[in-house]
Every structure is written in structure tokens, then in C-alpha cells.
Amino acid sequence: MINVEVDGVSAQKKAKPEKPAKEAGESKVQLATIFEPTEDILKRLEREVKKGEVKYYTPYILANQLNVKISVARKILKEAEKRGILKLYSGGRRTPIYIPATKNL
């Protein structure tokens, strides 16, 4: 192959394949999915609550236990509160703390 220099830049570097232009109506594929807490996850949480090993639940603790994202854990905790499994103890915007609803104080 012959290298020809034009204005100090070789011809090999100039020949780049062009990327296809995106059409106006085309958009990126959404990677995030909408998650609804399933019955299986809520039953699993209820069993953990009945064991009584954990005194309180935060989104971080639940995310580690169930191996899910923190945003998903927040949704699960809210749903568990609606169903009466957990009770909101401290309702901070950033880190809500939930305690078992049936716990004897």
C-alpha cells in the first residue's frame, strides 16, 4: 500500500467510514423498564419480616437482600406498606425507614 501525504496527514487517516445518519423519527431504545412488585417478591419479603431477624428496612437493605436496584426496592417497600406488611417509621425523602407492622413494641 502506498502512503501519500497531503497537508501532513496521511491518506489512510482521512479515509474513515461514514456513520449512517439517524432519521428524524428514530430514537434511542429505552433501556429502563417499568417494574411492578410481583406477588413472589412480596411473599418473600413477608416471610423475611415474619422471621424477625431484621429490625428495620431501608431501600438499601432491601436492595441487597433481594439483589435489585434501589429504585425498585423503594417501590417494593411502598407496596409492602400498602398491604400492611411494613409500617413507615421515618418518612425522609431520601431514606425512608420501615419497620414490621406486626412487631410488638
Side-chain angles (χ1 to χ4, degrees):
M1 185 185 262
I2 301 173
N3 281 340
V4 179
E5 288 203 21
V6 179
D7 296 331
V9 179
S10 68
Q12 289 177 340
K13 290 182 181 178
K14 278 189 170 184
K16 291 183 180 179
E18 293 184 21
K19 295 180 181 178
K22 290 187 177 182
E23 296 178 14
E26 188 178 341
S27 64
K28 292 184 179 181
V29 177
Q30 272 189 322
L31 297 177
T33 58
I34 298 172
F35 177 81
E36 294 296 323
T38 61
E39 290 296 321
D40 183 42
I41 292 175
L42 290 169
K43 286 180 183 178
R44 186 173 164 192
L45 175 63
E46 190 172 6
R47 279 183 293 192
E48 292 293 323
V49 169
K50 284 183 180 179
K51 286 182 185 177
E53 294 175 357
V54 181
K55 294 181 181 181
Y56 61 91
Y57 290 91
T58 63
Y60 180 78
I61 291 171
L62 191 64
N64 283 338
Q65 283 182 351
L66 300 177
N67 197 21
V68 294
K69 291 184 178 183
I70 292 179
S71 60
V72 173
R74 280 191 189 115
K75 291 178 183 180
I76 293 170
L77 288 170
K78 286 180 185 178
E79 184 64 28
E81 182 186 15
K82 287 179 187 176
R83 294 182 183 213
I85 300 169
L86 297 174
K87 182 172 73 172
L88 185 64
Y89 178 73
S90 173
R93 179 179 66 91
R94 293 182 183 238
T95 308
I97 299 171
Y98 293 86
I99 57 174
T102 58
K103 186 176 181 180
N104 297 327
L105 294 175

